[in-house]
Amino acid sequence: NRRIVLASRPVGAPVEENFRLESVPVPTPGEGEVLLRTVYLSLDPYMRGRMSDAPSYADPVAVDEVMVGATVCRVEVSRHPDFSEGEWVLAYSGWQDYALSDGTGLSRLGKHPENPSHALGIMGMPGFTAYMGLLDIGQPKSGETLVVAAATGPVGGTVGQIGKLKGCRVVGIAGGPEKCRHATEGLGFHACLDHKAPDFAEQLRKACPDGIDVYYENVGGKVFDAVLPLLNTRARVPVCGLISQYNATRLPDGPDRLSLLMRTILTKRLTVRGFIIFDDYGHRYDEFAREMSQWLSLGKIQYREQLVDDLERAPEAFMGMLQGRNFGKLVVRV
Ligand code: NDP
C-alpha cells in the first residue's frame, strides 16, 4: 500500500522534497467498513493551499499525513451493508493505493460506470464549479462578452462552452499556441489569447471590441490587470481561483493598485463575488448533474482529460499543473 504524505510545507513553488512516498500494510476493514482500492486520483489547484498552514476556508494537511484528494475507487472488501464488492465509488481518500471508509461521504457510481474518472472532472467538482460560478454569479446573457483564463482546464473549458450555449461571445486565455488552438477549434471559443505573449493586454483589448461583461476569474495576476480596464458597466466577476498567486510568498511589487480596483468597482458598479463550490452550492448539485449529463450526451460540451500513470508520479504532475504543464483535467491512474 503506497501512499504519498506531505513531508514538509513548501515555501513558494512546491518541490519534490515536500512529498514523501511511503509503504504501509494494506489495512483490514472492520465491521461496518469497506476497503477501497484507488483507481483514479484527481489533482487540483486547491491542493497547493492545503500544503500551507496559512488560514484558509479548509484545514491544512498535517505534516506526515497523506495528501488529500478526491478519488474514484473500487470496493475491494465490504463489511458494510450498503456497499458490495466490485462497485465503484467517488471518495476523498487521498494520494494512496488503499483506504478504509465507514461509508461517510462516499457516492456510489454503480458496477459498470461508463466513464468513472468523469466523476472527478466534468461531472464532479470542476464541472460543478464552472456551472454555478458562471450561471449564478456571472449571469451571462446572449450577445455579451465572456472572458475566461485557464481556458483548456476543466473549469475554464467548461465555463467557455456553457457561455457559448448561453449565446455569449467567448474569449479564452491560455498558455501557449497549442492550448489556444484547442480552445478555438476543439471547444469552439470565438478567440483565445496566449497570456505569455508580450503584447497580451493589447491583444485582449482587440479581441473584446465591446468590452467585457463577464470575467470568470481563475488566475488573477497580470491577466486580471489586462481585464480590469476593459470591464463594462455592471460587469460580473465570479472569483473562482487565483492560481497565478498560489505559490506567492508576499504581495507583488508596486505600484499599489488597490485604489484603482476600488474606483473601478464603484464607477463601473461591478459585481465581484468569490465562492467555494460545495460550501456555497452543495445543495444544487443535482440540478447541475441533470443539465450537464444532458449536454454531454447531446455532444454540446467537450471534455479533455490528461491521464498520468502511477501514483508515484503524482507530485511531479501536480507541480507541473501549477506551472501550466497540464493540458486538460489532470487525473492520476493510480
Ligand atoms: P486547470 O487544470 O485549469 O489548471 C490550472 C491552469 O492554470 C494551468 O494549466 C495553467 O493554464 C493556468 N495557470 C497556472 N499558472 C498561471 C498563471 N501564472 N497565469 C495564468 N494562468 C496560469 O485547473 P482547474 O480547472 O481545476 O481550476 C481552475 C481554477 O479554478 C483554479 O484557480 C482553481 O483553484 C479554481 N477552482 C475553484 C473552486 C472554487 O470552489 N472556488 C473549485 C475548483 C477550482 P495555462 O497554461 O492555460 O495558463
Side-chain angles (χ1 to χ4, degrees), residues 43-46 125-126 129 149-156 173-176 179 195-196 218-220 223 239-244 246 275-278 321-326 328-330:
L43 294 180
D44 299 274
Y46 75 84
M125 192 273 280
T129 300
T152 60
V155 175
I173 297 166
K179 287 185 176 182
H195 62 80
K196 295 174 187 161
N218 276 334
V219 304
V223 172
V239 182
C240 172
L242 298 165
I243 193 166
S244 74
Y246 291 174
F275 68 103
I276 301 297
I277 188 61
F278 283 107
M321 174 174 58
L322 297 173
Q323 320 285 342
R325 283 203 292 272
N326 66 310
K329 168 65 200 155
L330 192 54

Side-chain angles (χ1 to χ4, degrees), residues 140-145 162-170 190:
K141 290 171 200 68
S142 184
E144 289 189 332
T145 298
I162 299 174
K164 262 185 39 191
L165 292 173
K166 299 294 169 187
C168 292
R169 179 185 151 75
V170 177
H190 296 86

Side-chain angles (χ1 to χ4, degrees), residues 21-41:
L21 175 70
E22 295 183 340
S23 190
V24 294
V26 176
T28 310
E31 196 51 44
E33 288 185 327
V34 289
L35 175 66
L36 301 175
R37 171 73 170 105
T38 314
V39 183
Y40 296 107
L41 163 68

Side-chain angles (χ1 to χ4, degrees), residues 146-195:
L146 162 68
V147 172
V148 62
T152 60
V155 175
T158 311
V159 164
Q161 293 180 83
I162 299 174
K164 262 185 39 191
L165 292 173
K166 299 294 169 187
C168 292
R169 179 185 151 75
V170 177
V171 177
I173 297 166
E178 200 194 343
K179 287 185 176 182
C180 286
R181 203 171 320 116
H182 176 66
T184 51
E185 291 171 16
L187 306 178
F189 287 25
H190 296 86
C192 186
L193 312 172
D194 181 354
H195 62 80

Side-chain angles (χ1 to χ4, degrees), residues 71-325:
T71 53
V72 164
C73 303
R74 293 190 76 170
V75 175
E76 184 123 323
V77 179
S78 179
R79 299 191 61 195
H80 190 295
D82 298 344
F83 297 93
S84 52
E85 278 154 30
E87 96 176 289
W88 293 75
V89 293
L90 172 65
Y92 198 74
S93 51
W95 299 26
Q96 54 187 340
D97 286 325
Y98 291 94
L100 292 180
S101 167
D102 64 2
T104 311
L106 297 186
S107 311
R108 0 168 52 116
L109 301 172
K111 281 258 179 202
H112 304 285
E114 202 178 330
N115 295 300
S117 62
H118 286 197
L120 301 172
I122 188 68
M123 287 305 297
M125 192 273 280
F128 188 29
T129 300
Y131 180 91
M132 289 312 330
L134 178 64
L135 296 182
D136 194 61
I137 304 175
Q139 303 273 336
K141 290 171 200 68
S142 184
E144 289 189 332
T145 298
L146 162 68
V147 172
V148 62
T152 60
V155 175
T158 311
V159 164
Q161 293 180 83
I162 299 174
K164 262 185 39 191
L165 292 173
K166 299 294 169 187
C168 292
R169 179 185 151 75
V170 177
V171 177
I173 297 166
E178 200 194 343
K179 287 185 176 182
C180 286
R181 203 171 320 116
H182 176 66
T184 51
E185 291 171 16
L187 306 178
F189 287 25
H190 296 86
C192 186
L193 312 172
D194 181 354
H195 62 80
K196 295 174 187 161
D199 61 342
F200 160 70
E202 179 57 19
Q203 285 189 28
L204 184 66
R205 195 177 60 76
K206 287 192 178 136
C208 302
D210 300 324
I212 299 172
D213 302 293
V214 183
Y215 173 58
Y216 189 105
E217 174 64 295
N218 276 334
V219 304
K222 68 180 174 45
V223 172
F224 183 71
D225 287 341
V227 162
L228 188 64
L230 303 176
L231 290 170
N232 288 333
T233 300
R234 296 203 173 77
R236 286 81 63 199
V237 182
V239 182
C240 172
L242 298 165
I243 193 166
S244 74
Q245 294 161 39
Y246 291 174
N247 285 328
T249 51
R250 58 184 177 86
L251 291 172
D253 289 337
D256 180 351
R257 283 152 299 175
L258 184 61
S259 58
L260 170 69
L261 172 64
M262 294 308 279
R263 188 174 73 230
T264 313
I265 291 176
L266 171 63
T267 57
K268 297 274 183 68
R269 286 144 285 173
L270 305 180
T271 298
V272 179
R273 203 168 106 204
F275 68 103
I276 301 297
I277 188 61
F278 283 107
D279 293 11
D280 295 319
Y281 293 109
H283 59 290
R284 292 180 66 178
Y285 177 78
D286 290 346
E287 178 189 327
F288 152 75
R290 251 193 325 273
E291 192 155 28
M292 185 54 78
S293 27
Q294 228 163 44
W295 283 336
L296 287 170
S297 61
L298 295 171
K300 291 190 171 180
I301 297 271
Q302 307 298 319
Y303 176 57
R304 182 182 179 115
E305 223 172 34
Q306 182 185 349
L307 288 175
V308 172
D309 272 316
D310 206 335
L311 177 66
E312 295 179 24
R313 291 186 56 208
E316 166 199 335
F318 173 70
M319 291 183 285
M321 174 174 58
L322 297 173
Q323 320 285 342
R325 283 203 292 272

